[in-house]
Structure formats: C-alpha cells, structure tokens
Amino acid sequence: MTSARPDSTTRPGLAPIELVGRDERLRIDFPLALAPMAGISDRPFRQLCFDQGAGLVVNEMISSKPELRNTRKSEQRRIRPDDPEPRAVQLLGNEPHDLAEAARQAYRDGAQLIDLNLGCPAKKVCRKAAGSALMAEPDTVARLLEAAVEAVPCPVTLKMRTGPDEDWRNAPEIARIAEEAGIAMLSIHGRTRAQKYTGRAEYDTIARVVAERRIPVLANGDIESVDKAVEVLESTGAAGLMIGRAAFGRPWLFAQLRAALEGRTVPSEPGPVEVMGFVREQFENIYRHYGNVMGVRIARKHWGWYSSRLPIAEGTRKEFNRLETIESQRRWLDRREAELRSVSSPSAAPTA
C-alpha cells in the first residue's frame, strides 16, 4: 500500500494492557483486536490480520457442549502452538461444568486467553439460551463466569452486547458481575441482542461501563475507518478497539488503524493489484488449512468481499463461484491478476 500524508490532528493512542488471570498474566502490546466471528476469523484470516497490525486475533467460537467439542468443525477451529500470540480461544456455552471443561481443553491446546461469548445474536445460538440470549440471565452469567475463571490459570475475558433490547441495556450490570467473577477484560459491541447487526452502534453504554469498572474494555461496532476509530476511543475512553465486519475483505484496515493510533503515516487504500496480493496470500493459506473441498468453498465466501473492491465486471466476478477445484481457482485468479496488472501498468513511452 502507498501512504497517505499524516494527519496533523492529535489522535488518541493505545497503550499496552495487562490481563490478570487466576495464576497467569498476559500482556497485549497493542489492544487492537480482530473479533471472533464464526466462519470468518479462521486461522488463515487471523494470521493475515495479525500480520497487518492486529495485536489480538481471537479464534472462532467453539461450542462447549461435549458432543460438539470433537467434531470436524471444532477440530479445525482448535488453537495450535504456531497461531499468533497471544493465542485466544472463544467458547460458547450455557452450562458451567461443560464450559469449564472446554476451557481446560483449550488451555491444554495452548490457549493463553479464554474468551466467553455473550455477544452472538444468531437464532440457532440464542434459541439454545446461549450467546447474547444470556444477557437476560445475570444469575446464569455469574455461574458461567465463575466456573470458567476457576477452571484455568490464564486470563478469561468476555465478549458481550449492551443488553437484551433498547429498554434493557444491562451491560453495566453484567460488567459488574464479570469483574467480581475475575474476568480480566470486556469487549462490548454497541448493539443490543434485538438489534442483531441492524441500525447503528451506540457508545454511551460502553462509556458508562468504562467509567464504572477497573478492568480494561474494548469497544466494538461500526468501526470502519480511522476517523471512526478515533471518535469511538474519544467518546468511550475504552482501552482498545475490536474490529469485526469492517475487516471482511479488508485486512489492511488493521495496518491503517495501527499506523494512525501510533502516530505514523496512514497507508492509503490498496490498488487492485495490491488487493489481489491479499487475495492470493489468504487463499493459499485457506487451501492448506481446509483442503480441496472445503478450501474451495471458503475461498468463494471471501472472494465475494474482496471482489467488490476490484474493477471486475459482476458477471466475471461470479464465474469464480462456479469453480470446483483449487487449481481451477488458482488459474482463474492468475488470469484476473494479469488483466489487472496490464490495466494498471503505465503506458510505454512513445518511441522517436
């Protein structure tokens, strides 16, 4: 990416934070995090966002239910020793014993941080009284958090929303329960469960939690630009930021945010050839991680986000989704990249 001129406006920065667990401490040097997102924040995408400047990349959520813990999907999501540090795993569950066992397993796998999910608004999660549905059950939340904190020596964190709905924004209450249970950090999405991903995120509730609690808070929701990141930090006083949907097909957002918050020149948006470079890097890692069948399908999903940023006709973009093998996808991307390079190359100088 080329670089834009530095903004002369004084911007807030981010300081390292230390998370305190039952017996272990963990330092996050730069609290700019990739949110845990099922089907998105897999190992290939986490590595790419980490390389672009994210200081924390949280694994996709893993169910704590024993019957789901060792499925193929859960196996693919398990943390590995070569994952970027600090290695963070998010767990989903509504039963204290199962959640504690899943936390212990994740820690044995090499997790240095356990994150608990009170933020997912998906119907299939909430109808099982898990995810953001638990925001309406403070007593259950207390039991779950205490069980998880007691189960592992490493720090345990919590991802949550502002409340069940606009008439019950109980994030301050849940945050108090979390701090008393020994939770080391909170990440708060500025929407209620009822909102899902509609409407706008609000940050007043996050600011109240920051003011009332001693543990660090990451602000999350609608942070899609440097200006928005600065606005959210200033309005909430949060210790850091968590980026979710804004990073879809745009991992370089982390490089831009980190540069701005460190007072460096902010890289400009990448050109088409540079975007294709991100595509090729991520897709090769996808192929290695998932293999031929799943790798092809996962690549199609990410291509939808990347391709919207490329000057490629819609009909041509959709051709990619009909390809059935890794090699056919590679050859197709080779052709598109060659076309983009030929268009972006400066014209040859005229000869005398």
Side-chain angles (χ1 to χ4, degrees):
M1 291 184 285
T2 56
S3 295
R5 293 182 63 184
D7 189 339
S8 59
T9 304
T10 300
R11 299 188 185 279
L14 295 182
I17 59 178
E18 187 174 71
L19 306 185
V20 180
R22 182 166 53 81
D23 294 314
E24 297 177 359
R25 293 172 178 258
L26 178 69
R27 176 185 167 97
I28 300 177
D29 290 328
F30 197 79
L32 174 63
L34 171 68
M37 297 173 285
I40 307 297
S41 56
D42 57 10
R43 183 170 291 106
F45 193 57
R46 292 199 308 276
Q47 185 64 60
L48 187 55
C49 293
F50 182 79
D51 292 343
Q52 285 297 301
L56 175 67
V57 289
V58 186
N59 200 357
E60 302 168 90
M61 69 180 183
I62 298 174
S63 175
S64 64
K65 289 184 176 298
E67 64 270 24
L68 299 177
R69 209 177 298 157
N70 295 313
T71 63
R72 180 181 178 185
K73 181 181 289 186
S74 293
E75 286 294 322
Q76 286 178 328
R77 292 181 177 181
R78 286 174 69 170
I79 208 76
R80 295 180 184 174
D82 59 346
D83 275 318
E85 294 191 34
R87 295 185 294 272
V89 172
Q90 187 183 72
L91 299 177
L92 173 76
N94 59 5
E95 204 288 321
H97 177 268
D98 290 347
L99 194 62
E101 283 297 313
R104 282 189 280 266
Q105 179 61 60
Y107 182 76
R108 288 193 294 268
D109 289 341
Q112 298 163 307
L113 182 155
I114 304 295
D115 186 65
L116 305 180
N117 185 315
L118 259 65
C120 181
K123 284 184 179 179
K124 66 180 181 180
V125 170
C126 288
R127 67 171 173 245
K128 296 177 182 177
S132 59
L134 289 168
M135 294 291 297
E137 300 182 28
D139 291 342
T140 301
V141 169
R143 291 193 294 272
L144 291 170
L145 302 187
E146 289 166 2
V149 169
E150 182 61 30
V152 290
C154 67
V156 178
T157 61
L158 178 64
K159 175 85 162 59
M160 58 191 268
R161 289 191 165 230
T162 55
D165 55 51
E166 64 179 344
D167 295 322
W168 191 14
R169 288 196 170 99
N170 65 340
E173 178 189 4
I174 300 294
R176 175 187 57 77
I177 291 170
E179 186 172 51
E180 290 174 355
I183 291 297
M185 181 176 74
L186 302 170
S187 303
I188 307 177
H189 185 124
R191 286 182 172 85
T192 64
R193 171 199 171 183
Q195 280 183 277
K196 297 184 179 178
Y197 296 103
T198 62
R200 292 183 177 182
E202 61 90 11
Y203 308 107
D204 290 346
T205 304
I206 300 175
R208 179 180 165 188
V209 173
V210 170
E212 293 178 354
R213 307 269 60 92
R214 297 186 301 275
I215 57 178
V217 175
L218 304 185
N220 173 230
D222 295 349
I223 303 169
E224 78 294 333
S225 68
V226 168
D227 288 344
K228 188 66 173 183
V230 172
E231 174 192 331
V232 171
L233 285 174
E234 290 178 339
S235 64
T236 63
L241 300 172
M242 178 170 277
I243 310 301
R245 293 173 297 155
F248 290 7
R250 196 183 169 204
W252 54 85
L253 177 60
F254 288 98
Q256 295 171 325
L257 295 177
R258 183 153 187 167
L261 297 173
E262 288 182 334
R264 297 183 285 107
T265 299
V266 177
S268 60
E269 288 291 305
V273 175
E274 291 175 290
V275 171
M276 283 298 290
F278 285 102
V279 170
R280 305 309 294 270
E281 179 181 352
Q282 185 178 349
F283 284 17
E284 287 304 315
N285 287 331
I286 285 173
Y287 299 147
R288 281 192 290 270
H289 183 61
Y290 290 103
N292 189 66
V293 177
M294 284 299 298
V296 166
R297 294 175 184 172
I298 299 295
R300 288 173 187 158
K301 176 169 58 179
H302 286 275
W303 173 249
W305 293 310
Y306 278 116
S307 65
S308 65
R309 306 179 186 280
L310 293 169
I312 298 175
E314 182 177 359
T316 303
R317 290 205 310 266
K318 289 183 177 179
E319 290 175 1
F320 187 83
N321 294 331
R322 295 193 288 271
L323 302 174
E324 298 289 344
T325 66
I326 289 174
E327 283 307 316
S328 64
Q329 288 188 345
R330 283 175 174 152
R331 289 193 297 269
W332 192 91
L333 291 170
D334 284 342
R335 291 194 295 273
R336 300 290 83 77
E337 186 172 1
E339 291 168 1
L340 292 172
R341 287 186 182 278
S342 67
V343 171
S344 63
S345 297
S347 301
T351 57

